[in-house]
Amino acid sequence: MEVIFKFKKISGVPLIECYIPGVTYRGIIFVNHGYTSKKETETSYCLELAKKNYFVIAIDAYKHGERIQEPYISGSEIEKFEDFFNVIIQTGNDIKKIYNDNYKERFDMINLLGISMGGAVSYYTATIMENINAVIPIIGSPSFYEFSKFKIDRMDKSDDDIRGMSLKIEELKIVDPINRPELFLNKKMFILNGNEDSIVPEKWSKRLYEKIIKLAEERKIKTNIKFKSYKVGHNVTIDMKKELYDWCEKNI
């Protein structure tokens, strides 16, 4: 059983296709990496999913990996965070274009998996694409506005920095996935978070989950959504990986 790792560039975005040739694929899964990381760091997910007959794609997020740009080369932490949600939104738009232009004819639905920032990318992408089958955000936040406030409160910064950043984050409310639970009603979801995570607290993921469940009950819609909290900080354990692989096999 040979697993192929093919490095490509599509629409200017470096990516890895990971798959077993000649099999019937269960579906296509886009894997999204974390903050200041790159596609290669998530090859363990790609390998395990490919071995289960998924066609897997890992991309470099905007301004990350092979397409790294400032402020992620030499910028301050404040400068990097100011650009954080621009990265998420642009990466989501990239996924949409890459899928529509190159994979849509082979796969009529798309699945999204992401770790930390990649989880936020998965949440956001699910709000801008209709043909999403499943979303698997891992230790990520669906609340862009509240998460920004949380991070700003913990930064060393001047009063001018605070005023400038506060104005910018107000704009995030427009695209904030946590405010759009109706867009997740028809999507399968497995949300994994750590209840000891001080970097990306689980409370926003849990809140979105509760919003979706409540809305589904009000509209009498059957959902396939699971939220699980683990006794862990901001990392992914072996048990978490095993459960998400098992969930994928049963639901995708």
Side-chain angles (χ1 to χ4, degrees):
M1 182 176 63
E2 181 186 19
V3 176
I4 300 296
F5 283 85
K6 184 178 288 186
F7 289 74
K8 302 175 72 171
K9 187 175 282 189
I10 297 178
S11 301
V13 180
L15 57 84
I16 305 171
E17 289 180 344
C18 185
Y19 59 93
I20 297 174
V23 302
T24 300
Y25 299 111
R26 291 171 174 266
I28 186 170
I29 301 179
F30 276 74
V31 175
N32 300 291
H33 64 73
Y35 181 59
T36 68
S37 189
K38 57 186 178 180
K39 61 187 180 300
E40 289 82 0
T41 61
E42 311 307 346
T43 51
S44 66
Y45 293 94
C46 299
L47 178 62
E48 289 303 315
L49 290 166
K51 289 194 300 189
K52 297 179 185 299
N53 291 350
Y54 297 101
F55 192 95
V56 189
I57 296 175
I59 77 168
D60 276 330
Y62 180 57
K63 294 189 178 181
H64 285 62
E66 290 182 53
R67 52 178 180 162
I68 192 165
Q69 299 176 41
E70 294 292 4
Y72 297 98
I73 299 171
S74 61
S76 68
E77 285 306 305
I78 289 177
E79 289 170 331
K80 289 176 183 177
F81 190 72
E82 281 184 310
D83 205 34
F84 181 71
F85 290 101
N86 179 41
V87 169
I88 291 170
I89 291 167
Q90 184 57 53
T91 303
N93 292 335
D94 289 340
I95 290 170
K96 183 176 181 179
K97 179 172 176 54
I98 290 167
Y99 169 74
N100 285 338
D101 292 352
N102 299 275
Y103 300 102
K104 191 173 183 178
E105 290 186 6
R106 294 175 62 191
F107 302 98
D108 60 355
M109 299 290 280
I110 180 176
N111 303 285
L112 303 165
L113 183 154
I115 301 89
S116 192
M117 181 185 79
V121 170
S122 299
Y123 279 123
Y124 173 72
T125 308
T127 68
I128 62 168
M129 294 182 67
E130 293 182 358
N131 45 344
I132 302 287
N133 178 46
V135 188
I136 310 166
I138 307 167
I139 59 172
S141 173
S143 179
F144 297 175
Y145 175 73
E146 293 292 339
F147 179 66
S148 293
K149 287 172 59 181
F150 170 80
K151 296 298 286 187
I152 290 170
D153 287 345
R154 285 154 180 78
M155 287 181 179
D156 292 326
K157 56 216 171 294
S158 69
D159 290 342
D160 288 341
D161 289 331
I162 295 172
R163 280 192 290 271
M165 293 179 75
S166 295
L167 288 172
K168 289 180 180 178
I169 69 169
E170 286 293 324
E171 300 170 2
L172 295 174
K173 292 179 180 178
I174 300 170
V175 297
D176 213 332
I178 201 169
N179 295 328
R180 311 182 78 185
E182 71 281 1
L183 298 180
F184 295 92
L185 285 172
N186 64 341
K187 298 171 175 64
K188 301 171 187 174
M189 295 186 77
F190 184 18
I191 305 168
L192 302 87
N193 282 89
N195 56 29
E196 297 178 353
D197 192 340
S198 60
I199 296 175
V200 184
E202 69 173 7
K203 59 183 177 181
W204 300 301
S205 294
K206 188 174 183 181
R207 191 183 305 161
L208 175 61
Y209 167 76
E210 291 169 348
K211 282 185 173 185
I212 298 168
I213 295 300
K214 181 180 179 183
L215 189 60
E217 289 173 351
E218 290 173 352
R219 298 186 181 183
K220 295 180 170 54
I221 296 172
K222 186 177 179 180
T223 61
N224 182 350
I225 175 170
K226 177 180 180 180
F227 172 88
K228 186 157 183 183
S229 178
Y230 298 82
K231 191 174 175 59
V232 68
H234 194 66
N235 48 67
V236 184
T237 66
I238 293 173
D239 286 344
M240 292 167 75
K241 287 184 178 182
K242 182 180 183 304
E243 286 198 53
L244 78 87
Y245 296 142
D246 290 344
W247 185 89
C248 287
E249 285 195 285
K250 293 173 183 175
N251 293 279
I252 300 177

